Amino acid sequence: MRGIKSFVKVFILVSVLFTVALFGVTFINPFGPTIFPVAGLINKEVKTDMALDMKFWKTMDEATAYIVSKKVNFAALPVTFGANLYTKGVDVRLVDVYSWRLFYVVASPDFEFKGFQSFKGEKIYTAHGRGQTADVVLRFLLVKNGLEPDKDVTFAYAQPQEIVSLFNSGKIKIAAIPEPFVTMTLSKGRVIMDLQDEWNKATGFKFGIPITGLFVTGKLIDYPQTVKLFEKSFKESLSWSYKNVDKAVEITSKQLGIPTNILKASLERSQYNYISAAECRDEVLAYLKKLNELYPDGMPKVPDEKFFYIVK
């Protein structure tokens, strides 16, 4: 009986791997700077052991539609967004976090910055809306340094391209934004704070802010060998992009329409570092708990241990 069960398990595994190799998997990636890590896969500079269909999503609603309709196998998502999907019962698990450094505070030349108390009485613009990465981290840091968000410091929200335009025209004094938009403001301002460094100092952690992660969805959750195959391809693409920066930036530029010189300069303040869910679990949980504490509407529930897909 044991022999039959073992045979069935092996047969199922072989069948899944054969299906993956023959028909492939579908992967969705944000339409933004995180195209850089997958540039090698876009142009097939990195050879994979599976047929890979890559699609780009531009809005959270679009990404959600892909996942709930079971049309994708892997998804690159903001960690907070993936956590919210999971706690709502959507079948996604975090395989790794690979984007850890993107967010900075920029200020106009006439703003005298001597530490957090300099923000008192000021308005800070951040991208999109309340609850996103820069907003939550900055609120946490303000409280840590004796300031009350929305009272001592006010917040305003806009699309990152709009913030860049307003900043460069002198209508905004301070903004907390990600790369490559930081680089787009430097002709009119300067970086005054690295939010990742401040987060590490305040929390005692080392990697930075868990910004973007790789998630496995649906039935593939039950097939670790398939996850390993895709994980291998993803890591090789990230490695290729850093070894071939000019080519990877050119591919990214063609997708985004952002000049190559801006994208290349922005890499100096970006960090893509593949850390498995097993290694970064504590840091991710600490971040999500802090988000839940500061903005429960945006993170109503912290995911349980099964949220972390440990590839063995």
Side-chain angles (χ1 to χ4, degrees), residues 7-29:
F7 173 79
V8 170
K9 285 182 180 178
V10 171
F11 177 78
I12 291 173
L13 176 59
V14 170
S15 297
V16 170
L17 292 176
F18 177 76
T19 300
V20 165
L22 188 62
F23 299 106
V25 297
T26 299
F27 166 57
I28 58 171
N29 193 79

Side-chain angles (χ1 to χ4, degrees), residues 4-282:
I4 293 173
K5 287 182 179 179
S6 297
F7 173 79
V8 170
K9 285 182 180 178
V10 171
F11 177 78
I12 291 173
L13 176 59
V14 170
S15 297
V16 170
L17 292 176
F18 177 76
T19 300
V20 165
L22 188 62
F23 299 106
V25 297
T26 299
F27 166 57
I28 58 171
N29 193 79
F31 185 79
T34 51
I35 285 176
F36 175 80
V38 297
L41 293 173
I42 292 171
N43 263 30
K44 302 192 185 326
E45 299 285 350
V46 172
K47 305 301 179 186
T48 66
D49 296 321
M50 60 180 70
L52 178 62
D53 178 24
M54 189 186 305
K55 302 179 187 297
F56 296 108
W57 59 266
K58 293 183 178 180
T59 67
M60 300 296 191
D61 286 344
E62 189 179 1
T64 302
Y66 271 126
I67 293 168
V68 298
S69 64
K70 300 182 180 178
K71 291 181 179 178
V72 301
N73 309 110
F74 297 96
L77 305 169
V79 172
T80 51
F81 177 54
N84 276 331
L85 287 179
Y86 174 81
T87 57
K88 290 175 182 176
V90 178
D91 218 0
V92 295
R93 301 288 191 283
L94 181 66
V95 177
D96 72 85
V97 177
Y98 65 91
S99 174
W100 294 92
R101 183 177 296 273
L102 283 176
F103 289 91
Y104 297 83
V105 180
V106 295
S108 57
D110 60 343
F111 177 68
E112 188 176 2
F113 180 67
K114 294 182 177 179
F116 280 93
Q117 291 302 317
S118 300
F119 291 135
K120 191 167 185 176
E122 300 291 349
K123 179 185 287 187
I124 302 177
Y125 274 76
T126 71
H128 304 300
R130 182 164 179 180
Q132 42 70 30
T133 305
D135 181 71
V136 171
V137 171
L138 199 48
R139 286 172 181 273
F140 167 71
L141 293 171
L142 290 173
V143 172
K144 270 278 189 180
N145 288 273
L147 294 170
E148 187 177 338
D150 300 319
K151 182 180 179 183
D152 295 324
V153 182
T154 57
F155 286 79
Y157 306 100
Q159 292 300 309
Q161 295 91 337
E162 184 184 354
I163 292 175
V164 170
S165 177
L166 291 170
F167 186 92
N168 289 341
S169 64
K171 295 175 181 177
I172 287 178
K173 190 189 297 186
I174 310 167
I177 49 178
E179 284 290 8
F181 304 105
V182 171
T183 298
M184 293 179 182
T185 67
L186 295 186
S187 63
K188 299 293 184 179
R190 70 198 195 282
V191 173
I192 61 170
M193 183 177 290
D194 180 327
L195 287 180
Q196 290 74 204
D197 283 349
E198 295 299 330
W199 169 260
N200 284 347
K201 286 178 198 172
T203 60
F205 289 127
K206 58 183 179 180
F207 292 128
I209 301 169
I211 302 166
T212 312
L214 180 64
F215 291 79
V216 59
T217 72
K219 291 182 179 179
L220 281 188
I221 286 167
D222 295 326
Y223 301 100
Q225 292 304 319
T226 305
V227 179
K228 281 184 180 179
L229 281 177
F230 183 77
E231 186 183 33
K232 176 175 176 284
S233 299
F234 190 94
K235 285 196 281 190
E236 286 177 358
S237 180
L238 177 55
S239 177
W240 179 88
S241 291
Y242 271 122
K243 288 176 183 175
N244 302 273
V245 170
D246 288 340
K247 211 167 184 178
V249 162
E250 187 180 332
I251 293 167
T252 307
S253 175
K254 284 181 180 177
Q255 295 288 333
L256 296 179
I258 296 174
T260 56
N261 63 318
I262 289 175
L263 289 171
K264 190 170 183 179
S266 76
L267 289 174
E268 295 175 13
R269 285 173 293 273
S270 306
Q271 181 184 336
Y272 297 107
N273 184 21
Y274 194 100
I275 308 292
S276 70
E279 292 178 272
C280 66
R281 171 194 163 280
D282 290 347

